[in-house]
């Protein structure tokens, strides 16, 4: 009984690691200000790059830049969260068989 449970736990742990590795390779982005600020993050929510339009680097644009950075980061992180949730549903579905579709 416990051997089977331990085996399933090891399998789940292995699948989680595989998923985390796959998510590290997935990139999603978020934009704000019609592309003036672009942020790229991995499926594991690690920021990979930030691109800022030159016009926003001027002193008078500081507040706009800050607002656009927050918006772009939040959009990218939300997209990463969606990728993560999809990946986790795939794991749960695979482990629970037909019941996984209910998650």
């Amino acid at each position: 009984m416990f051997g089977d449970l331990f085996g399933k736990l090891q399998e789940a742990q292995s699948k989680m690691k595989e998923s985390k590795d796959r998510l590290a390779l997935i990139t999603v982005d978020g934009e704000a200000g019609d592309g003036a600020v672009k942020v790229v993050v991995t499926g594991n929510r690690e920021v990979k790059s930030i691109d800022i339009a030159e016009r926003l680097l001027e002193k008078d644009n500081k507040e706009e830049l800050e607002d656009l950075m927050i918006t772009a980061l939040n959009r990218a992180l939300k997209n990463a969260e969606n990728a993560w949730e999809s990946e986790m549903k795939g794991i749960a579905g695979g482990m629970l068989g037909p019941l996984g579709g209910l998650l």
Side-chain angles (χ1 to χ4, degrees), residues 57-97:
L57 299 177
E58 296 173 11
K59 184 179 175 183
D60 294 341
N61 293 333
K62 180 182 183 302
E63 191 172 314
E64 180 184 5
L65 173 58
E66 291 170 345
D67 290 343
L68 292 175
M69 287 288 298
I70 290 169
T71 300
L73 278 165
N74 284 332
R75 287 177 180 169
L77 291 173
K78 179 63 178 168
N79 291 338
E81 179 72 19
N82 291 339
W84 186 87
E85 286 177 1
S86 293
E87 185 68 27
M88 293 304 113
K89 281 182 183 178
I91 289 174
M95 291 187 62
L96 298 175

Side-chain angles (χ1 to χ4, degrees), residues 17-62:
K17 183 184 179 330
E18 290 171 10
S19 290
K20 190 173 181 179
D21 292 344
R22 275 193 302 274
L23 286 166
L25 300 174
I26 294 171
T27 58
V28 295
D29 63 351
E31 293 185 6
D34 291 327
V37 175
K38 298 176 186 174
V39 177
V40 176
V41 299
T42 69
N44 287 327
R45 298 177 211 107
E46 178 183 342
V47 177
K48 297 305 267 181
S49 68
I50 299 173
D51 184 46
I52 301 168
E54 287 289 325
R55 71 173 181 79
L56 292 173
L57 299 177
E58 296 173 11
K59 184 179 175 183
D60 294 341
N61 293 333
K62 180 182 183 302

Side-chain angles (χ1 to χ4, degrees), residues 3-22:
D4 187 43
L5 180 61
F6 185 69
K8 287 186 185 234
L9 287 173
Q10 282 183 320
E11 179 184 349
Q13 192 173 34
S14 175
K15 288 187 180 209
M16 288 294 287
K17 183 184 179 330
E18 290 171 10
S19 290
K20 190 173 181 179
D21 292 344
R22 275 193 302 274

